[in-house]
Amino acid sequence: MQWDDMRIFLSVARTDSLSAAARVLKRDAATVGRRIARLESALGAALFAKSPQGYRLTEAGQRFVAHAEQAEQAMLAAKDELRGDGEALSGTIRVGAPDGCANFLLPRVCVALTEMHPDLDIQIVALPRVFNLPRREADMAIAVSPPSGGRLSVQKIADYHLSLAAHRDYLTGAPALNSLEDLRHHRMVGYVPDMIFDKELDYLGGIGIDRVALSSNSVAVQFQWLAMGAGVGVVHDFALPAAPGLVRVLADQVRLTRTFWLIRHADDHRTVRLNRFAGFLVDGVRAELARLETMARPDAMR
């Protein structure tokens, strides 16, 4: 039994498809299929059942995943040891993050990391959903809620704040806005209600807003609408410096606090490289968050 066959097995198990695994592995699907067949022959058991939905693990395949992941961790640890404990990080690390964090916090942090470590390649996957770390969609993920189960480790990064905001140009011609009740006379910007993947993101529902005229599953799209003066919506305080025309409204009545969490596969704590990267990432996000929220204070934005 060869490690490479186990690596291919894990890729098919995580993508449910020969073609998808082939793209990840940069091989052709026929080769991936032959290697799976060879592994099944060596083990004397069928690892996958083919269906219209793709390749599904059999009972034997599900049992074999744990052994293959142990081998994967051993290989990662061996690579770490051969790299040594020097200061430089190298290779590719993929981080999943909600798009607010990915758009406004991570860019500066990642640039600084690649300047410190020229051989390091960082991939930020900004998607408004929860990442599946056991399927290795990312090496680690930033989330707004800690997971409730699974073999995952969770580290609090920091609390952050959100406020109702609108552009000065919008407010100039808009109805008076002195209370939450007045919001019904304004065009609201927010999430598509049935696409809110985490209850922590239901900002407007929490303050009694039941109609959103302009909605998107993307924080970046919502932010662009607000920056162009399209209406009123909830904005991360750390995003406010990116659009000087945006100002807080009803600041004495609406002030939201949420938390960013770093989520990792439990076994990855044996990997020195990922541990060191996670440490740099957490420190960098905390510093950037503090810098931007300080810039967003009313006295700093005058």
Side-chain angles (χ1 to χ4, degrees):
M1 188 186 308
Q2 298 182 19
W3 156 244
D4 199 46
D5 289 344
M6 298 175 74
R7 185 168 69 93
I8 290 171
F9 161 77
L10 283 174
S11 186
V12 176
R14 290 165 178 165
T15 61
D16 301 325
S17 164
L18 290 184
S19 57
R23 287 193 295 273
V24 171
L25 297 165
K26 297 182 180 178
R27 304 189 182 193
D28 63 88
T31 298
V32 172
R34 286 195 297 271
R35 299 293 286 274
I36 291 297
R38 184 172 78 176
L39 181 61
E40 290 179 326
S41 177
L43 293 171
L47 301 174
F48 294 99
K50 189 175 181 180
S51 73
Q53 289 72 43
Y55 277 65
R56 294 288 183 264
L57 287 167
T58 62
E59 184 179 344
Q62 291 172 355
R63 293 198 303 269
F64 188 62
V65 164
H67 298 287
E69 287 183 337
Q70 288 177 5
E72 180 182 51
Q73 289 301 320
M75 290 298 294
L76 290 172
K79 287 181 179 179
D80 260 4
E81 186 173 336
L82 291 173
R83 284 192 183 102
D85 295 326
E87 290 298 316
L89 292 174
S90 62
T92 301
I93 296 178
R94 177 178 291 182
V95 181
D99 65 335
C101 177
N103 276 280
F104 299 105
L105 289 178
L106 292 183
R108 184 183 290 265
V109 174
C110 292
V111 168
L113 279 171
T114 54
E115 288 177 347
M116 292 169 55
H117 306 280
D119 294 325
L120 176 65
D121 298 333
I122 302 174
Q123 298 178 347
I124 299 299
V125 182
L127 292 175
R129 63 172 177 80
V130 177
F131 282 81
N132 192 324
L133 293 184
R135 285 182 173 267
R136 298 293 174 177
E137 292 181 343
D139 293 299
M140 58 189 70
I142 295 173
V144 295
S145 290
S148 57
R151 297 190 65 254
L152 301 170
S153 69
V154 182
Q155 177 184 2
K156 180 178 178 178
I157 300 176
D159 292 333
Y160 63 97
H161 303 94
L162 307 100
S163 304
L164 275 175
H167 197 278
R168 291 188 180 95
D169 292 344
Y170 169 82
L171 293 172
T172 298
L177 185 48
N178 300 311
S179 68
L180 290 176
E181 179 66 21
D182 292 335
L183 288 172
R184 63 190 178 90
H185 301 299
H186 290 263
R187 184 188 298 119
M188 299 303 298
V189 174
Y191 279 104
V192 178
D194 62 355
M195 297 184 74
I196 298 175
F197 69 93
D198 191 303
K199 61 180 177 59
E200 296 292 334
L201 303 180
D202 189 14
Y203 310 130
L204 295 180
I207 58 175
I209 302 300
D210 56 10
R211 178 174 179 261
V212 181
L214 292 170
S215 59
S216 172
N217 67 329
S218 167
V219 166
V221 173
Q222 296 173 39
F223 185 80
Q224 291 302 321
W225 275 328
L226 294 171
M228 67 189 295
V232 181
V234 173
V235 176
H236 298 82
D237 284 10
F238 59 70
L240 286 171
L246 282 179
V247 295
R248 292 184 180 89
V249 297
L250 304 181
D252 58 335
Q253 300 175 55
V254 179
R255 175 73 162 166
L256 306 177
T257 301
R258 297 292 188 270
T259 303
F260 283 132
W261 306 87
L262 183 67
I263 316 299
R264 298 175 59 192
H265 196 285
D267 291 336
D268 285 350
H269 282 280
R270 303 173 189 171
T271 308
V272 176
R273 171 171 163 270
L274 291 178
N275 286 341
R276 293 185 63 229
F277 178 85
F280 286 134
L281 183 69
V282 168
D283 289 345
V285 170
R286 286 172 177 166
E288 182 68 351
L289 178 58
R291 183 184 75 86
L292 291 173
E293 287 204 346
T294 298
M295 290 176 61
R297 291 174 185 165
D299 56 343
M301 299 182 69
R302 287 173 187 161

